[in-house]
């Protein structure tokens, strides 16, 4: 087996194992309401951390101004309860226009 | 199915002509489109870097995790070796374990629903599911967004691997800003109405941002879970 195949297999099996944790436990272990509440909250915490780091950083450093500004525009639109499509296109459009204007 | 769904089920909702399911497909299709384009760029980058076509294609089918795939291929192309590539990808994907616990009930009861649904657990599908108000809509949102995302991601990667880099840098279209914005739109309702979740998420995001310059990729987001310390007694308090 080539090293690349082994790498893909290890990554695939490991990732699937992570993804199977919840479905495998579900129905076998009775989780208290408190734990279920924490699990839902945990998913939102992860998603929020992901969007914060995704909006502001790239490769461990600052992502430049275009991307965070775009995400900020999207966030303001979402806060004002704009439709999903408007939020996403607003964010992407802002970043694209800023880059076209020479803002990194 | 669509035509049946167009008729409002109750006469009390005349001001919302679109049913939730149509709205879901409309919202999800935007994410599909963006993911498809990013998939094309992944396939193109991998092949342009010297990997054979089957590597990005097979990887997308069996690993199926955008950020981990980009990182693993990035490590490979930078000469970091397969071991470092796998470790980096796995570290980034640890968060899917937490996601799978949160949506376990959403996947369905059957064995196949669980085995197949587990593979579709991604940031986007979990965010779409958790943004829904009730279990039935959660399940629909998970499966509709998940199956569509799987189809477009893999099709995109195949096209990119075969056709090469016709798209160029996806940052030019602002797609790098689109994905965080998708997550903002999907988590904002939970953050808005639920103070314990908001506290935890804010603390977690600050922790992750503070750790990003010093910790390896994947670790900061995972350690954001420490933000749950601010959860307190939760809604039941």
């Amino acid at each position: 087996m080539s090293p690349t195949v082994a790498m893909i297999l290890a990554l695939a099996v490991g990732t699937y194992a992570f993804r199977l944790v919840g479905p495998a436990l579900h129905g076998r272990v009775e989780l208290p309401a408190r734990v279920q509440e924490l699990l839902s909250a945990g998913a939102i915490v992860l998603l929020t951390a992901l969007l914060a780091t995704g909006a502001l950083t790239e490769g461990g450093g600052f992502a430049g101004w275009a991307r965070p500004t775009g995400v900020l525009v999207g966030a303001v639109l979402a806060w004002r309860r704009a439709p999903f499509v408007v939020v996403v296109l607003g964010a992407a459009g802002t970043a694209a226009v800023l880059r076209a204007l020479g803002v990194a | 199915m669509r035509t049946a769904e167009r008729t409002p089920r109750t006469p009390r909702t005349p001001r919302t002509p679109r049913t939730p399911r149509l709205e879901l497909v409309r919202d999800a299709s935007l994410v599909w489109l963006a993911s498809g384009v990013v998939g094309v760029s992944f396939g193109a980058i991998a092949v342009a870097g010297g990997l054979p076509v089957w590597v990005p294609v097979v990887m997308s089918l069996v690993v199926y995790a955008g950020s981990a795939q980009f990182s693993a291929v990035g490590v490979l192309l930078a000469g970091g070796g397969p071991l470092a590539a796998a470790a980096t990808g796995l570290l980034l994907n640890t968060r899917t374990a937490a996601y799978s616990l949160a949506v376990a009930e959403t996947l369905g009861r059957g064995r196949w629903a669980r085995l197949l649904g587990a593979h579709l657990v991604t940031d986007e599908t979990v965010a779409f599911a958790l943004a829904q108000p009730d279990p039935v809509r959660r399940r629909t949102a998970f499966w509709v967004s998940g199956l569509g995302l799987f189809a477009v991601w893999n099709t995109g990667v195949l096209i990119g691997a075969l056709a090469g880099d016709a798209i160029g840098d996806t940052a030019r279209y602002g797609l790098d800003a689109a994905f965080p914005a998708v997550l903002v739109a999907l988590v904002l309702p939970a953050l808005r109405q639920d103070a314990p979740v908001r506290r935890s998420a804010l603390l977690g995001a600050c922790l992750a941002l503070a750790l990003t310059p010093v910790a390896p990729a994947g670790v900061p987001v995972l350690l954001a879970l420490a933000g749950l310390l601010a959860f307190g007694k939760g809604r039941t308090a």
Side-chain angles (χ1 to χ4, degrees), chain A residues 34 37-38 40-49, chain B residues 191 194-208 221 223-234:
Chain A
R34 164 80 176 161
E37 201 180 40
L38 276 173
S40 296
I44 299 289
V45 169
L46 285 174
L47 290 168
T48 308
Chain B
L191 296 182
D194 200 320
V197 170
R198 184 165 59 237
R199 282 198 304 269
S200 312
L202 277 177
L203 177 60
C206 290
L207 278 172
V221 166
L223 290 181
L225 281 176
L228 285 173
L229 291 171
F231 194 67
K233 286 182 179 163

PDB file of all heavy atoms in Angstrom, chain A residues 34 37-38 40-49, chain B residues 191 194-208 221 223-234:
ATOM      1  N   ARG A  34     -29.641  17.392  31.183  1.00  0.00           N
ATOM      2  CA  ARG A  34     -28.585  18.379  31.359  1.00  0.00           C
ATOM      3  C   ARG A  34     -27.438  18.159  30.360  1.00  0.00           C
ATOM      4  O   ARG A  34     -26.910  19.104  29.777  1.00  0.00           O
ATOM      5  CB  ARG A  34     -28.071  18.276  32.801  1.00  0.00           C
ATOM      6  CG  ARG A  34     -26.764  18.931  33.080  1.00  0.00           C
ATOM      7  CD  ARG A  34     -26.926  20.407  33.263  1.00  0.00           C
ATOM      8  NE  ARG A  34     -25.673  21.046  33.624  1.00  0.00           N
ATOM      9  CZ  ARG A  34     -25.453  22.343  33.490  1.00  0.00           C
ATOM     10  NH1 ARG A  34     -26.402  23.111  33.002  1.00  0.00           N
ATOM     11  NH2 ARG A  34     -24.323  22.863  33.837  1.00  0.00           N
ATOM     12  N   GLU A  37     -28.522  19.095  26.840  1.00  0.00           N
ATOM     13  CA  GLU A  37     -28.518  20.546  26.710  1.00  0.00           C
ATOM     14  C   GLU A  37     -27.089  21.043  26.447  1.00  0.00           C
ATOM     15  O   GLU A  37     -26.864  21.894  25.582  1.00  0.00           O
ATOM     16  CB  GLU A  37     -29.048  21.141  28.016  1.00  0.00           C
ATOM     17  CG  GLU A  37     -29.565  22.533  27.914  1.00  0.00           C
ATOM     18  CD  GLU A  37     -30.068  23.037  29.261  1.00  0.00           C
ATOM     19  OE1 GLU A  37     -29.435  22.761  30.297  1.00  0.00           O
ATOM     20  OE2 GLU A  37     -31.098  23.706  29.279  1.00  0.00           O
ATOM     21  N   LEU A  38     -26.131  20.458  27.181  1.00  0.00           N
ATOM     22  CA  LEU A  38     -24.730  20.850  27.014  1.00  0.00           C
ATOM     23  C   LEU A  38     -24.194  20.444  25.633  1.00  0.00           C
ATOM     24  O   LEU A  38     -23.373  21.151  25.050  1.00  0.00           O
ATOM     25  CB  LEU A  38     -23.863  20.211  28.108  1.00  0.00           C
ATOM     26  CG  LEU A  38     -23.812  20.950  29.441  1.00  0.00           C
ATOM     27  CD1 LEU A  38     -23.068  20.124  30.486  1.00  0.00           C
ATOM     28  CD2 LEU A  38     -23.145  22.309  29.294  1.00  0.00           C
ATOM     29  N   SER A  40     -25.949  20.226  22.744  1.00  0.00           N
ATOM     30  CA  SER A  40     -26.442  21.188  21.759  1.00  0.00           C
ATOM     31  C   SER A  40     -25.672  22.490  21.881  1.00  0.00           C
ATOM     32  O   SER A  40     -25.252  23.075  20.878  1.00  0.00           O
ATOM     33  CB  SER A  40     -27.923  21.474  21.971  1.00  0.00           C
ATOM     34  OG  SER A  40     -28.655  20.324  21.757  1.00  0.00           O
ATOM     35  N   ALA A  41     -25.486  22.951  23.127  1.00  0.00           N
ATOM     36  CA  ALA A  41     -24.749  24.196  23.351  1.00  0.00           C
ATOM     37  C   ALA A  41     -23.315  24.047  22.850  1.00  0.00           C
ATOM     38  O   ALA A  41     -22.761  24.960  22.232  1.00  0.00           O
ATOM     39  CB  ALA A  41     -24.765  24.564  24.829  1.00  0.00           C
ATOM     40  N   GLY A  42     -22.721  22.856  23.077  1.00  0.00           N
ATOM     41  CA  GLY A  42     -21.350  22.612  22.638  1.00  0.00           C
ATOM     42  C   GLY A  42     -21.208  22.738  21.125  1.00  0.00           C
ATOM     43  O   GLY A  42     -20.218  23.288  20.631  1.00  0.00           O
ATOM     44  N   ALA A  43     -22.196  22.227  20.388  1.00  0.00           N
ATOM     45  CA  ALA A  43     -22.145  22.332  18.931  1.00  0.00           C
ATOM     46  C   ALA A  43     -22.196  23.795  18.499  1.00  0.00           C
ATOM     47  O   ALA A  43     -21.453  24.214  17.599  1.00  0.00           O
ATOM     48  CB  ALA A  43     -23.298  21.557  18.301  1.00  0.00           C
ATOM     49  N   ILE A  44     -23.050  24.589  19.149  1.00  0.00           N
ATOM     50  CA  ILE A  44     -23.125  26.018  18.814  1.00  0.00           C
ATOM     51  C   ILE A  44     -21.810  26.722  19.174  1.00  0.00           C
ATOM     52  O   ILE A  44     -21.325  27.579  18.431  1.00  0.00           O
ATOM     53  CB  ILE A  44     -24.305  26.694  19.560  1.00  0.00           C
ATOM     54  CG1 ILE A  44     -25.643  26.049  19.159  1.00  0.00           C
ATOM     55  CG2 ILE A  44     -24.332  28.190  19.286  1.00  0.00           C
ATOM     56  CD1 ILE A  44     -26.104  26.363  17.762  1.00  0.00           C
ATOM     57  N   VAL A  45     -21.206  26.330  20.317  1.00  0.00           N
ATOM     58  CA  VAL A  45     -19.924  26.914  20.726  1.00  0.00           C
ATOM     59  C   VAL A  45     -18.847  26.614  19.669  1.00  0.00           C
ATOM     60  O   VAL A  45     -18.094  27.497  19.256  1.00  0.00           O
ATOM     61  CB  VAL A  45     -19.486  26.370  22.107  1.00  0.00           C
ATOM     62  CG1 VAL A  45     -18.041  26.755  22.420  1.00  0.00           C
ATOM     63  CG2 VAL A  45     -20.410  26.896  23.202  1.00  0.00           C
ATOM     64  N   LEU A  46     -18.799  25.357  19.200  1.00  0.00           N
ATOM     65  CA  LEU A  46     -17.814  24.985  18.172  1.00  0.00           C
ATOM     66  C   LEU A  46     -18.040  25.769  16.882  1.00  0.00           C
ATOM     67  O   LEU A  46     -17.097  26.280  16.278  1.00  0.00           O
ATOM     68  CB  LEU A  46     -17.915  23.486  17.874  1.00  0.00           C
ATOM     69  CG  LEU A  46     -17.338  22.524  18.904  1.00  0.00           C
ATOM     70  CD1 LEU A  46     -17.647  21.091  18.515  1.00  0.00           C
ATOM     71  CD2 LEU A  46     -15.842  22.720  19.040  1.00  0.00           C
ATOM     72  N   LEU A  47     -19.300  25.868  16.459  1.00  0.00           N
ATOM     73  CA  LEU A  47     -19.605  26.574  15.210  1.00  0.00           C
ATOM     74  C   LEU A  47     -19.246  28.050  15.323  1.00  0.00           C
ATOM     75  O   LEU A  47     -18.731  28.653  14.380  1.00  0.00           O
ATOM     76  CB  LEU A  47     -21.084  26.403  14.842  1.00  0.00           C
ATOM     77  CG  LEU A  47     -21.503  25.003  14.401  1.00  0.00           C
ATOM     78  CD1 LEU A  47     -23.018  24.873  14.343  1.00  0.00           C
ATOM     79  CD2 LEU A  47     -20.899  24.678  13.041  1.00  0.00           C
ATOM     80  N   THR A  48     -19.500  28.639  16.506  1.00  0.00           N
ATOM     81  CA  THR A  48     -19.177  30.059  16.708  1.00  0.00           C
ATOM     82  C   THR A  48     -17.662  30.268  16.693  1.00  0.00           C
ATOM     83  O   THR A  48     -17.161  31.219  16.079  1.00  0.00           O
ATOM     84  CB  THR A  48     -19.766  30.556  18.039  1.00  0.00           C
ATOM     85  OG1 THR A  48     -21.154  30.221  18.087  1.00  0.00           O
ATOM     86  CG2 THR A  48     -19.617  32.063  18.165  1.00  0.00           C
ATOM     87  N   ALA A  49     -16.932  29.361  17.361  1.00  0.00           N
ATOM     88  CA  ALA A  49     -15.471  29.468  17.365  1.00  0.00           C
ATOM     89  C   ALA A  49     -14.926  29.307  15.951  1.00  0.00           C
ATOM     90  O   ALA A  49     -13.996  30.005  15.536  1.00  0.00           O
ATOM     91  CB  ALA A  49     -14.870  28.408  18.283  1.00  0.00           C
TER      92      ALA A  49
ATOM     93  N   LEU B 191     -27.940  32.132  19.454  1.00  0.00           N
ATOM     94  CA  LEU B 191     -27.181  33.079  20.279  1.00  0.00           C
ATOM     95  C   LEU B 191     -28.088  34.198  20.783  1.00  0.00           C
ATOM     96  O   LEU B 191     -27.925  34.709  21.879  1.00  0.00           O
ATOM     97  CB  LEU B 191     -26.031  33.693  19.470  1.00  0.00           C
ATOM     98  CG  LEU B 191     -24.943  32.745  18.981  1.00  0.00           C
ATOM     99  CD1 LEU B 191     -23.859  33.515  18.248  1.00  0.00           C
ATOM    100  CD2 LEU B 191     -24.344  31.970  20.144  1.00  0.00           C
ATOM    101  N   ASP B 194     -30.802  32.687  23.614  1.00  0.00           N
ATOM    102  CA  ASP B 194     -30.376  31.809  24.694  1.00  0.00           C
ATOM    103  C   ASP B 194     -29.122  32.364  25.376  1.00  0.00           C
ATOM    104  O   ASP B 194     -28.009  32.208  24.882  1.00  0.00           O
ATOM    105  CB  ASP B 194     -30.090  30.420  24.095  1.00  0.00           C
ATOM    106  CG  ASP B 194     -30.124  29.345  25.163  1.00  0.00           C
ATOM    107  OD1 ASP B 194     -29.627  29.617  26.264  1.00  0.00           O
ATOM    108  OD2 ASP B 194     -30.637  28.251  24.877  1.00  0.00           O
ATOM    109  N   ALA B 195     -29.302  33.016  26.521  1.00  0.00           N
ATOM    110  CA  ALA B 195     -28.179  33.698  27.181  1.00  0.00           C
ATOM    111  C   ALA B 195     -27.045  32.753  27.589  1.00  0.00           C
ATOM    112  O   ALA B 195     -25.874  33.077  27.367  1.00  0.00           O
ATOM    113  CB  ALA B 195     -28.684  34.498  28.381  1.00  0.00           C
ATOM    114  N   PRO B 196     -27.321  31.572  28.170  1.00  0.00           N
ATOM    115  CA  PRO B 196     -26.211  30.674  28.539  1.00  0.00           C
ATOM    116  C   PRO B 196     -25.396  30.231  27.318  1.00  0.00           C
ATOM    117  O   PRO B 196     -24.164  30.180  27.385  1.00  0.00           O
ATOM    118  CB  PRO B 196     -26.910  29.474  29.186  1.00  0.00           C
ATOM    119  CG  PRO B 196     -28.228  29.972  29.604  1.00  0.00           C
ATOM    120  CD  PRO B 196     -28.609  31.047  28.635  1.00  0.00           C
ATOM    121  N   VAL B 197     -26.089  29.941  26.197  1.00  0.00           N
ATOM    122  CA  VAL B 197     -25.388  29.545  24.975  1.00  0.00           C
ATOM    123  C   VAL B 197     -24.545  30.709  24.464  1.00  0.00           C
ATOM    124  O   VAL B 197     -23.399  30.532  24.040  1.00  0.00           O
ATOM    125  CB  VAL B 197     -26.397  29.081  23.893  1.00  0.00           C
ATOM    126  CG1 VAL B 197     -25.703  28.899  22.560  1.00  0.00           C
ATOM    127  CG2 VAL B 197     -27.060  27.782  24.314  1.00  0.00           C
ATOM    128  N   ARG B 198     -25.112  31.915  24.546  1.00  0.00           N
ATOM    129  CA  ARG B 198     -24.396  33.109  24.075  1.00  0.00           C
ATOM    130  C   ARG B 198     -23.104  33.326  24.880  1.00  0.00           C
ATOM    131  O   ARG B 198     -22.040  33.537  24.317  1.00  0.00           O
ATOM    132  CB  ARG B 198     -25.317  34.327  24.185  1.00  0.00           C
ATOM    133  CG  ARG B 198     -24.725  35.609  23.630  1.00  0.00           C
ATOM    134  CD  ARG B 198     -25.781  36.672  23.437  1.00  0.00           C
ATOM    135  NE  ARG B 198     -26.477  37.002  24.671  1.00  0.00           N
ATOM    136  CZ  ARG B 198     -27.792  36.924  24.845  1.00  0.00           C
ATOM    137  NH1 ARG B 198     -28.562  36.519  23.856  1.00  0.00           N
ATOM    138  NH2 ARG B 198     -28.341  37.237  25.997  1.00  0.00           N
ATOM    139  N   ARG B 199     -23.236  33.246  26.211  1.00  0.00           N
ATOM    140  CA  ARG B 199     -22.056  33.403  27.078  1.00  0.00           C
ATOM    141  C   ARG B 199     -20.977  32.385  26.712  1.00  0.00           C
ATOM    142  O   ARG B 199     -19.807  32.720  26.542  1.00  0.00           O
ATOM    143  CB  ARG B 199     -22.446  33.172  28.548  1.00  0.00           C
ATOM    144  CG  ARG B 199     -23.152  34.309  29.229  1.00  0.00           C
ATOM    145  CD  ARG B 199     -23.080  34.122  30.743  1.00  0.00           C
ATOM    146  NE  ARG B 199     -23.611  32.849  31.213  1.00  0.00           N
ATOM    147  CZ  ARG B 199     -24.887  32.646  31.576  1.00  0.00           C
ATOM    148  NH1 ARG B 199     -25.741  33.644  31.524  1.00  0.00           N
ATOM    149  NH2 ARG B 199     -25.287  31.477  32.001  1.00  0.00           N
ATOM    150  N   SER B 200     -21.406  31.115  26.581  1.00  0.00           N
ATOM    151  CA  SER B 200     -20.452  30.039  26.289  1.00  0.00           C
ATOM    152  C   SER B 200     -19.779  30.254  24.938  1.00  0.00           C
ATOM    153  O   SER B 200     -18.566  30.077  24.802  1.00  0.00           O
ATOM    154  CB  SER B 200     -21.162  28.693  26.278  1.00  0.00           C
ATOM    155  OG  SER B 200     -21.968  28.550  27.417  1.00  0.00           O
ATOM    156  N   ALA B 201     -20.587  30.624  23.937  1.00  0.00           N
ATOM    157  CA  ALA B 201     -20.055  30.786  22.582  1.00  0.00           C
ATOM    158  C   ALA B 201     -19.074  31.956  22.516  1.00  0.00           C
ATOM    159  O   ALA B 201     -18.032  31.867  21.860  1.00  0.00           O
ATOM    160  CB  ALA B 201     -21.193  30.986  21.589  1.00  0.00           C
ATOM    161  N   LEU B 202     -19.400  33.050  23.213  1.00  0.00           N
ATOM    162  CA  LEU B 202     -18.500  34.209  23.213  1.00  0.00           C
ATOM    163  C   LEU B 202     -17.169  33.870  23.869  1.00  0.00           C
ATOM    164  O   LEU B 202     -16.099  34.155  23.335  1.00  0.00           O
ATOM    165  CB  LEU B 202     -19.153  35.388  23.942  1.00  0.00           C
ATOM    166  CG  LEU B 202     -20.111  36.229  23.099  1.00  0.00           C
ATOM    167  CD1 LEU B 202     -20.757  37.319  23.944  1.00  0.00           C
ATOM    168  CD2 LEU B 202     -19.366  36.840  21.913  1.00  0.00           C
ATOM    169  N   LEU B 203     -17.232  33.219  25.026  1.00  0.00           N
ATOM    170  CA  LEU B 203     -16.009  32.823  25.724  1.00  0.00           C
ATOM    171  C   LEU B 203     -15.198  31.861  24.855  1.00  0.00           C
ATOM    172  O   LEU B 203     -13.975  32.002  24.712  1.00  0.00           O
ATOM    173  CB  LEU B 203     -16.360  32.177  27.077  1.00  0.00           C
ATOM    174  CG  LEU B 203     -15.180  31.650  27.899  1.00  0.00           C
ATOM    175  CD1 LEU B 203     -14.207  32.763  28.221  1.00  0.00           C
ATOM    176  CD2 LEU B 203     -15.671  31.008  29.201  1.00  0.00           C
ATOM    177  N   GLY B 204     -15.901  30.887  24.267  1.00  0.00           N
ATOM    178  CA  GLY B 204     -15.225  29.902  23.421  1.00  0.00           C
ATOM    179  C   GLY B 204     -14.551  30.541  22.220  1.00  0.00           C
ATOM    180  O   GLY B 204     -13.410  30.207  21.888  1.00  0.00           O
ATOM    181  N   ALA B 205     -15.258  31.479  21.561  1.00  0.00           N
ATOM    182  CA  ALA B 205     -14.694  32.137  20.381  1.00  0.00           C
ATOM    183  C   ALA B 205     -13.460  32.953  20.770  1.00  0.00           C
ATOM    184  O   ALA B 205     -12.451  32.956  20.052  1.00  0.00           O
ATOM    185  CB  ALA B 205     -15.746  33.025  19.727  1.00  0.00           C
ATOM    186  N   CYS B 206     -13.513  33.645  21.917  1.00  0.00           N
ATOM    187  CA  CYS B 206     -12.352  34.427  22.371  1.00  0.00           C
ATOM    188  C   CYS B 206     -11.160  33.509  22.646  1.00  0.00           C
ATOM    189  O   CYS B 206     -10.022  33.810  22.264  1.00  0.00           O
ATOM    190  CB  CYS B 206     -12.697  35.228  23.631  1.00  0.00           C
ATOM    191  SG  CYS B 206     -13.843  36.576  23.310  1.00  0.00           S
ATOM    192  N   LEU B 207     -11.433  32.377  23.304  1.00  0.00           N
ATOM    193  CA  LEU B 207     -10.365  31.402  23.577  1.00  0.00           C
ATOM    194  C   LEU B 207      -9.730  30.918  22.277  1.00  0.00           C
ATOM    195  O   LEU B 207      -8.504  30.882  22.146  1.00  0.00           O
ATOM    196  CB  LEU B 207     -10.937  30.199  24.333  1.00  0.00           C
ATOM    197  CG  LEU B 207     -11.121  30.321  25.837  1.00  0.00           C
ATOM    198  CD1 LEU B 207     -11.877  29.101  26.374  1.00  0.00           C
ATOM    199  CD2 LEU B 207      -9.756  30.427  26.511  1.00  0.00           C
ATOM    200  N   ALA B 208     -10.590  30.547  21.314  1.00  0.00           N
ATOM    201  CA  ALA B 208     -10.090  30.013  20.045  1.00  0.00           C
ATOM    202  C   ALA B 208      -9.238  31.057  19.324  1.00  0.00           C
ATOM    203  O   ALA B 208      -8.166  30.742  18.794  1.00  0.00           O
ATOM    204  CB  ALA B 208     -11.252  29.572  19.166  1.00  0.00           C
ATOM    205  N   VAL B 221     -10.201  25.599  17.942  1.00  0.00           N
ATOM    206  CA  VAL B 221     -11.655  25.438  17.878  1.00  0.00           C
ATOM    207  C   VAL B 221     -12.125  24.382  18.880  1.00  0.00           C
ATOM    208  O   VAL B 221     -13.144  24.530  19.547  1.00  0.00           O
ATOM    209  CB  VAL B 221     -12.098  25.083  16.445  1.00  0.00           C
ATOM    210  CG1 VAL B 221     -13.534  24.591  16.421  1.00  0.00           C
ATOM    211  CG2 VAL B 221     -11.957  26.301  15.540  1.00  0.00           C
ATOM    212  N   LEU B 223     -10.634  23.565  21.720  1.00  0.00           N
ATOM    213  CA  LEU B 223     -10.522  24.080  23.087  1.00  0.00           C
ATOM    214  C   LEU B 223     -11.593  25.139  23.378  1.00  0.00           C
ATOM    215  O   LEU B 223     -11.800  25.495  24.536  1.00  0.00           O
ATOM    216  CB  LEU B 223      -9.118  24.641  23.329  1.00  0.00           C
ATOM    217  CG  LEU B 223      -8.011  23.580  23.385  1.00  0.00           C
ATOM    218  CD1 LEU B 223      -6.660  24.218  23.657  1.00  0.00           C
ATOM    219  CD2 LEU B 223      -8.304  22.535  24.462  1.00  0.00           C
ATOM    220  N   ALA B 224     -12.257  25.620  22.320  1.00  0.00           N
ATOM    221  CA  ALA B 224     -13.356  26.566  22.533  1.00  0.00           C
ATOM    222  C   ALA B 224     -14.460  25.934  23.379  1.00  0.00           C
ATOM    223  O   ALA B 224     -15.246  26.637  24.019  1.00  0.00           O
ATOM    224  CB  ALA B 224     -13.923  27.031  21.194  1.00  0.00           C
ATOM    225  N   LEU B 225     -14.508  24.606  23.390  1.00  0.00           N
ATOM    226  CA  LEU B 225     -15.521  23.918  24.203  1.00  0.00           C
ATOM    227  C   LEU B 225     -15.402  24.290  25.682  1.00  0.00           C
ATOM    228  O   LEU B 225     -16.374  24.161  26.439  1.00  0.00           O
ATOM    229  CB  LEU B 225     -15.397  22.406  24.034  1.00  0.00           C
ATOM    230  CG  LEU B 225     -16.007  21.827  22.758  1.00  0.00           C
ATOM    231  CD1 LEU B 225     -15.726  20.344  22.658  1.00  0.00           C
ATOM    232  CD2 LEU B 225     -17.509  22.079  22.716  1.00  0.00           C
ATOM    233  N   ALA B 226     -14.213  24.758  26.088  1.00  0.00           N
ATOM    234  CA  ALA B 226     -14.050  25.215  27.477  1.00  0.00           C
ATOM    235  C   ALA B 226     -14.985  26.386  27.759  1.00  0.00           C
ATOM    236  O   ALA B 226     -15.287  26.682  28.922  1.00  0.00           O
ATOM    237  CB  ALA B 226     -12.599  25.611  27.739  1.00  0.00           C
ATOM    238  N   GLY B 227     -15.472  27.034  26.693  1.00  0.00           N
ATOM    239  CA  GLY B 227     -16.444  28.115  26.856  1.00  0.00           C
ATOM    240  C   GLY B 227     -17.712  27.648  27.561  1.00  0.00           C
ATOM    241  O   GLY B 227     -18.454  28.457  28.138  1.00  0.00           O
ATOM    242  N   LEU B 228     -17.959  26.336  27.535  1.00  0.00           N
ATOM    243  CA  LEU B 228     -19.147  25.790  28.212  1.00  0.00           C
ATOM    244  C   LEU B 228     -19.077  26.005  29.725  1.00  0.00           C
ATOM    245  O   LEU B 228     -20.094  25.863  30.414  1.00  0.00           O
ATOM    246  CB  LEU B 228     -19.302  24.298  27.903  1.00  0.00           C
ATOM    247  CG  LEU B 228     -19.819  23.960  26.505  1.00  0.00           C
ATOM    248  CD1 LEU B 228     -19.766  22.459  26.264  1.00  0.00           C
ATOM    249  CD2 LEU B 228     -21.242  24.467  26.324  1.00  0.00           C
ATOM    250  N   LEU B 229     -17.886  26.350  30.230  1.00  0.00           N
ATOM    251  CA  LEU B 229     -17.769  26.671  31.656  1.00  0.00           C
ATOM    252  C   LEU B 229     -18.665  27.855  32.009  1.00  0.00           C
ATOM    253  O   LEU B 229     -19.087  28.006  33.152  1.00  0.00           O
ATOM    254  CB  LEU B 229     -16.313  26.994  32.010  1.00  0.00           C
ATOM    255  CG  LEU B 229     -15.335  25.808  31.960  1.00  0.00           C
ATOM    256  CD1 LEU B 229     -13.899  26.295  32.121  1.00  0.00           C
ATOM    257  CD2 LEU B 229     -15.682  24.784  33.034  1.00  0.00           C
ATOM    258  N   ALA B 230     -18.940  28.700  31.001  1.00  0.00           N
ATOM    259  CA  ALA B 230     -19.800  29.869  31.239  1.00  0.00           C
ATOM    260  C   ALA B 230     -21.275  29.515  31.089  1.00  0.00           C
ATOM    261  O   ALA B 230     -22.137  30.382  31.216  1.00  0.00           O
ATOM    262  CB  ALA B 230     -19.434  30.989  30.254  1.00  0.00           C
ATOM    263  N   PHE B 231     -21.572  28.247  30.817  1.00  0.00           N
ATOM    264  CA  PHE B 231     -22.970  27.847  30.579  1.00  0.00           C
ATOM    265  C   PHE B 231     -23.805  27.956  31.846  1.00  0.00           C
ATOM    266  O   PHE B 231     -25.010  28.190  31.799  1.00  0.00           O
ATOM    267  CB  PHE B 231     -23.007  26.417  30.035  1.00  0.00           C
ATOM    268  CG  PHE B 231     -24.330  26.030  29.439  1.00  0.00           C
ATOM    269  CD1 PHE B 231     -24.789  26.631  28.277  1.00  0.00           C
ATOM    270  CD2 PHE B 231     -25.128  25.064  30.052  1.00  0.00           C
ATOM    271  CE1 PHE B 231     -25.999  26.270  27.719  1.00  0.00           C
ATOM    272  CE2 PHE B 231     -26.351  24.700  29.490  1.00  0.00           C
ATOM    273  CZ  PHE B 231     -26.781  25.307  28.327  1.00  0.00           C
ATOM    274  N   GLY B 232     -23.131  27.789  33.003  1.00  0.00           N
ATOM    275  CA  GLY B 232     -23.846  27.888  34.268  1.00  0.00           C
ATOM    276  C   GLY B 232     -24.885  26.796  34.396  1.00  0.00           C
ATOM    277  O   GLY B 232     -24.659  25.663  33.967  1.00  0.00           O
ATOM    278  N   LYS B 233     -26.022  27.145  34.936  1.00  0.00           N
ATOM    279  CA  LYS B 233     -27.054  26.125  35.114  1.00  0.00           C
ATOM    280  C   LYS B 233     -27.952  25.991  33.899  1.00  0.00           C
ATOM    281  O   LYS B 233     -28.859  25.174  33.874  1.00  0.00           O
ATOM    282  CB  LYS B 233     -27.893  26.455  36.350  1.00  0.00           C
ATOM    283  CG  LYS B 233     -27.113  26.163  37.633  1.00  0.00           C
ATOM    284  CD  LYS B 233     -27.938  26.428  38.861  1.00  0.00           C
ATOM    285  CE  LYS B 233     -27.128  26.105  40.104  1.00  0.00           C
ATOM    286  NZ  LYS B 233     -27.719  26.713  41.297  1.00  0.00           N
ATOM    287  N   GLY B 234     -27.700  26.815  32.864  1.00  0.00           N
ATOM    288  CA  GLY B 234     -28.446  26.671  31.631  1.00  0.00           C
ATOM    289  C   GLY B 234     -29.858  27.201  31.721  1.00  0.00           C
ATOM    290  O   GLY B 234     -30.185  27.973  32.618  1.00  0.00           O
TER     291      GLY B 234
END
